Amino acid sequence: WDAKNYYYTLPAYMQPNDPLVVGVLKKAGEYVAEMGTIMCGYQWGSGETVVKQANAIYKALEDLNLHYISPPPSFETVGQKIRIPHQVLHEESKQGTCLDLAILYATCLEAASLNALLVVIKGHAFAGVWTEDIGFGKSFIQESDMTEEIRQKMDRAFMPVECTTFTDGRGISFSQAVEVGKKNMKEFRYIIDVQDSRAIGVHPVYTYTDKPICRQQ
């Protein structure tokens, strides 16, 4: 990922249709049922229901005992190598950087028909979700783009979620992860709106397979 020239392409690394992501949503469905609702996206028109779905996804990922790890070796001058969701979730890996984990969580939100966001601050990244079926109306914003209208929209319906907190058995609750995300929002560099990114053609471009794609001779 070229963080300098193509930072807006982060949603291309998301894989909402990956079978391992589907497995996360299955477990999230069990958790959300215990909360008295279902994985219904925005169909019920309730911000509380959206929060419960985001919470259930967080808990499902927490159950997987994923681990935080530093970025893999990279020899590019800018940017960072990214482990796509399948690699983070795979039984032989189960590890990721803050950026890998943010992409994973945002992927699961998107797979649940929720409008996900990716937030990048200096040296760190995390995810977020709109609690209403809205977006920025543009694929990304920086501090210089913050109009009063956008601020009001974010105050009303933007929920940031720290993603390193569901790793390593740390026992940090979803509500605590949201509070950490809110504190980190004070220094954001830019926010990428996944739904609006899809609208301008930033689609998933990576596929991961456990098997060779051609038969060995």
Side-chain angles (χ1 to χ4, degrees):
W1 170 59
D2 186 338
K4 180 179 180 181
N5 300 303
Y6 299 102
Y7 52 88
Y8 58 88
T9 62
L10 273 180
Y13 295 84
M14 295 167 57
Q15 299 174 299
N17 295 318
D18 187 279
L20 296 184
V21 172
V22 173
V24 174
L25 291 193
K26 179 182 178 182
K27 184 62 178 179
E30 297 174 7
Y31 277 126
V32 85
E34 295 174 2
M35 300 175 194
T37 187
I38 59 175
M39 300 295 290
C40 59
Y42 296 102
Q43 293 182 45
W44 287 10
S46 165
E48 181 182 355
T49 299
V50 172
V51 172
K52 287 180 178 180
Q53 293 173 78
N55 187 357
I57 291 171
Y58 182 96
K59 289 169 66 69
L61 290 170
E62 190 176 33
D63 284 350
L64 293 175
N65 195 31
L66 302 174
H67 303 286
Y68 176 82
I69 191 172
S70 297
S74 178
F75 307 100
E76 293 78 14
T77 55
V78 295
Q80 177 178 319
K81 279 185 165 44
I82 292 176
R83 299 175 180 89
I84 55 179
H86 192 104
Q87 291 172 299
V88 177
L89 293 172
H90 197 280
E91 199 64 45
E92 294 182 3
S93 175
K94 288 199 170 185
Q95 57 189 6
T97 64
C98 62
L99 184 56
D100 302 334
L101 296 165
I103 288 173
L104 170 61
Y105 186 65
T107 295
C108 293
L109 292 170
E110 184 182 28
S113 299
L114 297 172
N115 299 344
L117 303 107
L118 292 163
V119 185
V120 177
I121 66 176
K122 185 176 181 180
H124 188 53
F126 51 100
V129 62
W130 289 110
T131 59
E132 299 176 13
D133 190 7
I134 57 176
F136 286 126
K138 57 192 302 185
S139 59
F140 69 93
I141 64 165
Q142 303 175 74
E143 181 62 36
S144 59
D145 300 317
M146 293 292 286
T147 63
E148 184 59 29
E149 180 183 359
I150 290 178
R151 290 186 189 279
Q152 290 180 3
K153 184 183 290 188
M154 290 180 66
D155 288 343
R156 185 180 80 245
F158 175 67
M159 183 173 66
V161 183
E162 174 59 41
C163 301
T164 60
T165 49
F166 57 67
T167 66
D168 297 289
R170 299 172 67 186
I172 298 175
S173 70
F174 176 73
S175 60
Q176 290 174 307
V178 171
E179 289 305 311
V180 173
K182 288 178 178 179
K183 291 178 181 178
N184 286 337
M185 282 301 300
K186 297 176 182 178
E187 49 184 302
F188 83 89
R189 293 175 59 191
Y190 50 87
I191 307 172
I192 299 174
D193 189 303
V194 175
Q195 178 179 242
D196 288 328
S197 294
R198 301 302 190 211
I200 64 168
V202 184
H203 302 310
V205 296
Y206 287 88
T207 300
Y208 186 84
T209 178
D210 298 332
K211 300 178 181 179
I213 60 174
C214 59
R215 185 179 303 172
Q216 293 183 346
Q217 300 296 327

